[in-house]
Amino acid sequence: MILTPSLVFAIIALGCVAAAPIFDLLRFEIPDSLSIVIALAAVAYAIATPGFGWVSHLASTGLVFAVGLLAFARGWMGGGDVKLLTAIAAWTGLAGLPMQLIATAVAGGVLALVLIMTRRGLALAGVDLERAPQLFQSDAPLPYAVAIAAGTFWWAARAWPLT
């Protein structure tokens, strides 16, 4: 495989996508810098890729931001999740967006089930969940960057190269 500038930008973006769940699991927070680098890498990729579909990628970014802003305002999603999904939408374009979002939703459902079963299992085993790590406490938020990353990697493995 030849290491082209386009490939370097994609690797940088995917590295940031891989880092996001680590921060979310440890701190329930996704650094803005990760989303910014993912979005800037998408712009650099587009500049380095002749025939890149700017309109589609800008439209998907705007659409995800608008829907994400509504979801955030209603308390359905965290701001970091919205920013991460928006930056990733700059990579997917309109054609890839449904595949990425469906994969993310499926991964989110699996993640929720695993956490519910783990929390209940720990409670049944007599573990005091108030003293457990925050991830296992019954009122802890869902670290959705885990699902976003899983959905993004599933999409990226099927969508490369991008246009």
Side-chain angles (χ1 to χ4, degrees), residues 16-103:
C16 290
V17 170
I22 296 167
F23 284 98
D24 209 9
L25 284 166
L26 295 176
R27 298 192 282 170
F28 294 96
E29 181 178 320
I30 304 165
D32 290 343
S33 57
L34 293 177
S35 297
I36 291 167
V37 170
I38 292 167
L40 289 175
V43 171
Y45 179 92
I47 291 168
T49 305
F52 187 81
W54 283 92
V55 173
S56 172
H57 291 264
L58 287 172
S60 67
T61 303
L63 177 64
V64 169
F65 179 71
V67 173
L69 192 58
L70 175 65
F72 174 74
R74 300 220 178 227
W76 299 336
M77 288 188 79
D81 298 325
V82 171
K83 289 180 265 187
L84 182 61
L85 277 171
T86 299
I88 291 166
W91 283 90
T92 67
L94 290 173
L97 187 59
M99 182 190 316
Q100 191 276 336
L101 291 177
I102 290 168

Side-chain angles (χ1 to χ4, degrees), residues 7-21 37-38 41 88 91 149 152-157 160:
L7 183 57
V8 170
F9 298 132
I11 291 169
I12 290 169
L14 289 174
C16 290
V17 170
V37 170
I38 292 167
I88 291 166
W91 283 90
T152 300
F153 278 100
W154 186 85
W155 163 79
W160 190 262

